[in-house]
Amino acid sequence: MAQQISKDMIIADIIKLDADLIPVLLSSGMHCIGCPSAQGESLEEAAMVHGIDPNHLEAVLNDFLAAKNA
């Protein structure tokens, strides 16, 4: 079974899980990929800072992984 992304995961850990998620994050408005905050900020925290719905972003990332692993 493929790994699932959760809102409490640290952005750096999400990227380590699958670097192909970087363009998904960028296209969603998360331009903090290289930011030092990405090393300690959860997906939910970063989404809120960027004005993005964390539930929607979590779903987009998981949909991408599901499609990739199908």
Side-chain angles (χ1 to χ4, degrees), residues 4-25:
Q4 287 279 330
I5 302 298
S6 64
K7 295 179 292 190
D8 64 335
M9 291 178 73
I10 303 300
I11 294 175
D13 293 337
I14 293 170
I15 294 168
K16 286 178 195 170
L17 177 71
D18 190 331
D20 289 340
L21 291 169
I22 293 172
V24 179
L25 289 164

Side-chain angles (χ1 to χ4, degrees), residues 6 14 36 39 43 66 69-70:
S6 64
I14 293 170
Q39 299 304 310
L43 180 65
N69 295 314

Side-chain angles (χ1 to χ4, degrees), residues 2-62:
Q3 175 87 19
Q4 287 279 330
I5 302 298
S6 64
K7 295 179 292 190
D8 64 335
M9 291 178 73
I10 303 300
I11 294 175
D13 293 337
I14 293 170
I15 294 168
K16 286 178 195 170
L17 177 71
D18 190 331
D20 289 340
L21 291 169
I22 293 172
V24 179
L25 289 164
L26 290 171
S27 68
S28 296
M30 298 282 286
H31 300 114
C32 58
I33 303 307
C35 175
S37 294
Q39 299 304 310
E41 204 167 43
S42 72
L43 180 65
E44 184 171 33
E45 291 167 333
M48 292 173 66
V49 167
H50 289 87
I52 300 167
D53 176 5
N55 295 314
H56 176 73
L57 184 55
E58 177 185 55
V60 168
L61 293 170
N62 283 315

